[in-house]
Amino acid sequence: MKTHLTVIAASLAAAFFVAPAWAADEVQSVVVTAQSRKQLAQDVPMTMQVVTGKDIEAIGAKDLADLNGYIPGLSVDAVEPTQPQFGIRGVQAGDFGVATDSPVGIYVDGVYTGKTGGALMNFVDVQRIEVVKGPQGTLFGRNSAAGAIAISTNEPGKEVDAAAHVKLGRFGRANADVMLNFPITDTFATRIVVVRAGSEGWVDNTATGKKSGGDKDWATRVSLRKDFDAARLVFSWEHENMEQYGRPAFGVIKDPALPLAGYRGVYDAAYTANFVNPLDAPLANDQQGSEGRLFDGATLRLEAPLAGMSFNSTTAYRRFTTHNLTDNDGGARPDLYLTTQDAKRARSFQQEFKLSGRTDKLDWIAGLSFYHNNEHQDAGAYVTTGTLDTLSQFGGGDPNFAMLFGGLAAAGLPGISADSVFSWNETHYSDVRTRSASIYGDTIWHLTPQTNATVGLRYTKDKKRMTWHVPGRVSPQLDDFLNKFGPLAGLDASSFPSNVIFATAAQLASSPVTREKDWTDWSPRLVLDHKLNKDTLLFTSLSRGYQAGGFNIFTPPNPASPTRTGQDPSFEPEKMTNFEAGVKLALPDIRATVNAALFAYKFKNLQDIQLYSVGSIPTYNVISSDQKAHGLDVDGRIRVSPRVTLFGGFEYIDQTYTRYQRLDASGNVTLDLGGQPVGTPRLSAMAGINMNWETASGRASVNFQGTHASATRCNSDTADLSCLRTAKLKTGTATSKYDLRVGWDSPGARYGVALIVNNVFDQRYIHSLGGQTEQYGAPYAYLTPPRAIGVEFRASM
């Protein structure tokens, strides 16, 4: 017996504590370009985290949203992938209009993606992702006031290579990708990648009989690389086509007498006791919805020596169209019916020239960039006459349409009854033209062999031209009714308002109205770093980020006034000032790294669009706020043995408003949140373990990791729904999620198979509760998906 135990113990020791032939002695080093220079991540004096292609594979992520939680401090809301929201360190804007920008810049191979249709794309042959926290106005430029996400893809190589993956799983999941890399000559190579991802959906929509919560997308990238004596030219073209059903919205009001019989403008305990738990209730959306994107992009990058310096040029063109038709009432009742449409089309051109050089004392970079973008948006609100009656009753009025139709039916008019409901569609059209140019420089000055001082500065000029147009409502059924019965009832088109949902905007922009404005900014950064020894880096920095000014798409200007409607529809740039002090520590004796940074920032003029009632009808309104925060970022990794690695990280943050005021129609303050929390959880954390061992038939591996976020910190405005606690449901609670990958690779790693389980313990949460019908007592919820299980097969040359 002792002999058997000895053999087993020796086998386990060999499996987990004896280094395989391919293992390195130290913790893996990663080369990054966050400072526009190739550096080891541990030598970069800023807070950043790097996700490699292997990390993406371990989680089974198909886009940035699947990494949510695995980078503490980064939040990605992709419930609607054509309208994603990105946040870093709690700074996240909720504006979906085309005339504003995001405080988090997304860059793919150095090309800015914008914030709407092109920002959240499926991963296509990704090499690494760098998430840089804090203002990056100097190096990345405009619209990275809170931070930047830089995605780098693989370039064509000089060796013949091929790889393929197929993943099949629960809810009809079927993903596949193929990569081919081959040299055409000794100096010319191409790389072709095709990716397909799709699933049927994880919930049945009882109102339509179809599945919801699925996705369907395919994409391709073709890259060409030409090497010269000392130069390199890379061209890439990418295409994506996404078409899927709209996201599910789970209504929590099932009593047909509600909300009219119980809602009085306040979500008190008596009313919220009527809510059902959306995690237990069936989905019933009368509008199945559809969401899609058609995207094309081309990029040309040149790297070449120039008079002892390095010259880089990046030229990019992007165009896309998107549509997002969604159920926004969470149910199937004609008296609450609300469907919205958000459709966009955009074309952008970018050009950047960069020159860099280094001496014994200086490492410098200078650049010039241009960005041109034209974007159009259709924002549609589609309701019924039943919905308008409900809104009228909430405002103290009568159900006018029901009374009209009932009276006509009582008079004997054919084809009409008191229950008749007609469609009523309104659309708000917006066009914006953006022109931006900037010049920047950044210099690392080697004060001593151990100490560096970095000084950077960028000057930016932005110009935007905005056009608003809100024509009258479209209601073919109502028009037909007026043609038939209008003369008998003494009614014509003037008997009804031209718009209700966009009534204020329609009064000011029934014909196209245009305004233009420009802004300038200086974005500096100062960094001091010092190496105590070859394994310990200390750094401190002061930087400022800039987000261009813009316009509120739902507040057109008065055509009779050059600037004002009583309120200027433009707003000034958003700016963040951030201080950081940190350490990056390598511990080679125990094969570990630890990074930590303290930060504090002030963010001024953050723009957000919220739906609330200024009069009797809920309307979209711009809220401008100032915020401040301080916190701590920590991440680390330790190789316990050559075959076992532990990793983890967390962010602690305390974020509050310094200014937030909501005004009524007369300009009086109705809500002041100054000094209250913004909502960001105090703690977000992740941790995991990688294990691998050799077997007689290949190599086995296990990756298990999880994320956790503490409870939402609600304020007096959001506590009613975002931190709700009833006997049936809870919102704003702490959340956790765990993912598992168990894999096997053949000798030489030519082929392999893996079991991937996302949300291992099937932990479900209410992602948010509110929506556009929140204002009249009928909120709906978004839910996190259930456990997903899949099997992935792969093969490579």
Side-chain angles (χ1 to χ4, degrees), residues 187-201:
T187 60
F188 189 35
T190 186
R191 191 178 184 95
I192 302 172
V193 183
V194 179
V195 176
R196 189 270 185 194
S199 68
E200 294 177 357

Side-chain angles (χ1 to χ4, degrees), residues 6 35 100 141 150 195 266 277 336 406 452 504 514 525 577 595 696 702:
T6 301
Q35 294 198 115
T100 59
V195 176
V266 178
N277 188 342
L336 295 176
N452 300 313
T504 302
T514 300
R525 79 165 183 146
T577 302
N595 305 314
V702 174

Side-chain angles (χ1 to χ4, degrees), residues 221-241:
R221 176 186 286 117
V222 178
S223 302
L224 301 171
R225 172 175 168 172
K226 174 64 176 176
D227 292 333
F228 301 93
D229 290 340
R232 180 178 62 173
L233 187 67
V234 179
F235 171 80
S236 63
W237 169 78
E238 53 191 312
H239 172 82
E240 187 196 38
N241 189 345

Side-chain angles (χ1 to χ4, degrees), residues 36 107 109-112 138-141 300-302 311-316 349-355 365-371 438-440 458:
S36 294
Y107 300 83
D109 292 330
V111 179
Y112 177 64
T138 303
L139 294 172
F140 286 91
L300 181 66
R301 291 182 289 127
L302 172 65
F311 173 76
N312 290 264
S313 170
T314 300
T315 307
F349 172 80
Q350 302 175 57
Q351 176 63 60
E352 182 174 40
F353 300 109
K354 192 182 301 182
L355 201 62
I365 186 168
L368 182 66
S369 67
F370 305 92
Y371 176 76
S438 66
I439 184 170
Y440 63 93
R458 179 185 290 254

Side-chain angles (χ1 to χ4, degrees), residues 33-240:
T33 56
Q35 294 198 115
S36 294
R37 307 160 173 92
K38 291 183 178 181
Q39 298 172 284
L40 293 176
Q42 288 298 109
D43 292 336
V44 178
M46 59 174 59
T47 304
M48 63 179 299
Q49 288 179 274
V50 182
V51 179
T52 66
K54 289 185 177 180
D55 297 327
I56 294 171
E57 185 178 276
I59 301 171
K62 68 180 182 64
D63 57 30
L64 282 169
D66 290 337
L67 298 178
N68 214 9
Y70 286 109
I71 302 174
L74 170 68
S75 62
V76 182
D77 184 345
V79 171
E80 297 166 283
T82 61
Q83 296 176 239
Q85 295 181 22
F86 300 90
I88 291 180
R89 289 178 173 169
V91 179
Q92 176 171 314
D95 182 7
F96 56 86
V98 295
T100 59
D101 297 292
S102 169
V104 178
I106 315 294
Y107 300 83
V108 178
D109 292 330
V111 179
Y112 177 64
T113 66
K115 74 159 190 176
T116 54
L120 185 72
M121 306 282 284
N122 271 2
F123 292 145
V124 181
D125 200 24
V126 171
Q127 181 188 76
R128 70 179 182 278
I129 302 170
E130 302 171 27
V131 179
V132 190
K133 300 179 180 180
Q136 303 302 319
T138 303
L139 294 172
F140 286 91
R142 61 195 297 275
N143 305 331
S144 55
I149 302 172
I151 301 172
S152 299
T153 63
N154 291 303
E155 294 183 357
K158 295 184 178 181
E159 303 293 331
V160 176
D161 193 12
H165 297 78
V166 174
K167 179 181 178 181
L168 304 174
R170 192 182 182 193
F171 307 123
R173 169 63 60 191
N175 295 359
D177 64 79
V178 177
M179 182 278 293
L180 297 173
N181 185 101
F182 50 91
I184 299 174
T185 68
D186 291 342
T187 60
F188 189 35
T190 186
R191 191 178 184 95
I192 302 172
V193 183
V194 179
V195 176
R196 189 270 185 194
S199 68
E200 294 177 357
W202 48 267
V203 63
D204 293 310
N205 185 352
T206 59
T208 65
K210 299 178 180 179
K211 291 278 190 180
S212 288
D215 60 282
K216 186 178 181 182
D217 183 287
W218 76 272
T220 185
R221 176 186 286 117
V222 178
S223 302
L224 301 171
R225 172 175 168 172
K226 174 64 176 176
D227 292 333
F228 301 93
D229 290 340
R232 180 178 62 173
L233 187 67
V234 179
F235 171 80
S236 63
W237 169 78
E238 53 191 312
H239 172 82
E240 187 196 38

Side-chain angles (χ1 to χ4, degrees), residues 27 51 53 95 469 489 505 612 725 727:
V27 175
V51 179
D95 182 7
H469 183 210
Y612 63 88
R725 301 291 188 273

Side-chain angles (χ1 to χ4, degrees), residues 133 320 360 511 515 688 722 789:
K133 300 179 180 180
F320 66 79
D360 292 340
S511 298
R515 290 293 182 268
S722 296
I789 303 174

